[in-house]
Amino acid sequence: MDNFYYYSPFRVDANIISKDKRIWEIYIKKINQLPVPIQDLLIKAKTIDFLSDIGGVFSLSKDQSAELSRIVRNILIGDSYIGNMTRDISKRLNLDWKISSQTANAIFGGLFQEALEDIIAIQKEKFPDKKVSLAQKPIKIDEEDKVPFNPTGQVVSKNNIIDLRKDS
């Protein structure tokens, strides 16, 4: 599988789904019925770049990155509840709660912002018994535990100590 497929919510399972023409047609129809901003998040290169950056920041394996793409896809198409994002990341990627929370925060606060109103509308439609609002955040972590999202691939925290005496 090309790296492209690990980070693409639309294509992560395309090689499997497309083998069955009927399932592929159902999948494409489902995508085509989504609002354009959500379609864009599923397909556009900047989503792939964003998820690739998260994979680097949190040192995710290719399998974990593919699973994260599935989680994002399932939330965007309304198959998974956004309020369970941290739990799903922790369970399916086998990550501790802190890293899962930081990953979910990065996705919610970055990637999802462009289509947030559409995501909330789909979530309300698919999960009418759950509370979903624009003010909702899927998780909360203490400010002291928060690791800023850094697309350079390095985890940065206020507790990092850099020894400037070392030669690289």
Side-chain angles (χ1 to χ4, degrees):
M1 187 187 297
D2 290 330
N3 284 344
F4 173 78
Y5 289 94
Y6 290 102
Y7 306 110
S8 170
F10 175 74
R11 297 191 183 277
V12 68
D13 292 319
N15 61 341
I16 297 166
I17 297 171
S18 64
K19 290 179 181 176
D20 184 323
K21 185 178 179 182
R22 184 183 60 82
I23 294 172
W24 181 250
E25 288 173 357
I26 291 168
Y27 179 63
I28 294 300
K29 183 178 179 184
K30 191 173 199 173
I31 300 300
N32 287 336
Q33 291 174 342
L34 294 169
V36 171
I38 292 178
Q39 289 179 23
D40 288 348
L41 284 179
L42 286 166
I43 296 168
K44 296 264 178 157
K46 82 175 163 181
T47 299
I48 295 166
D49 292 341
F50 187 92
L51 292 174
S52 175
D53 289 345
I54 285 180
V57 168
F58 295 108
S59 302
L60 301 180
S61 70
K62 287 183 179 182
D63 288 339
Q64 287 173 311
S65 294
E67 199 60 37
L68 183 61
S69 294
R70 289 181 187 101
I71 291 168
V72 167
R73 176 197 62 211
N74 291 343
I75 290 169
L76 292 174
I77 65 177
D79 285 352
S80 294
Y81 175 56
I82 195 169
N84 294 338
M85 184 166 36
T86 300
R87 184 201 68 196
D88 291 345
I89 291 169
S90 179
K91 182 178 175 185
R92 293 169 55 183
L93 277 64
N94 196 26
L95 296 174
D96 67 39
W97 192 259
K98 181 177 173 181
I99 297 297
S100 299
S101 296
Q102 293 166 345
T103 303
N105 271 342
I107 292 167
F108 188 82
L111 185 64
F112 285 177
Q113 289 303 305
E114 292 179 29
L116 192 57
E117 289 184 25
D118 292 315
I119 294 168
I120 298 300
I122 287 173
Q123 291 284 308
K124 284 182 177 181
E125 177 186 326
K126 299 283 183 151
F127 305 98
D129 57 325
K130 307 250 185 186
K131 184 179 178 188
V132 181
S133 72
L134 289 173
Q136 178 180 354
K137 296 203 175 167
I139 43 83
K140 291 190 185 226
I141 58 174
D142 294 330
E143 209 46 49
E144 63 192 34
D145 292 335
K146 197 173 195 178
V147 176
F149 177 66
N150 180 351
T152 64
Q154 294 180 312
V155 176
V156 179
S157 80
K158 68 178 189 169
N159 298 324
N160 278 1
I161 298 172
I162 301 171
D163 186 353
L164 298 175
R165 296 172 290 185
K166 286 186 177 178
D167 288 68
S168 308

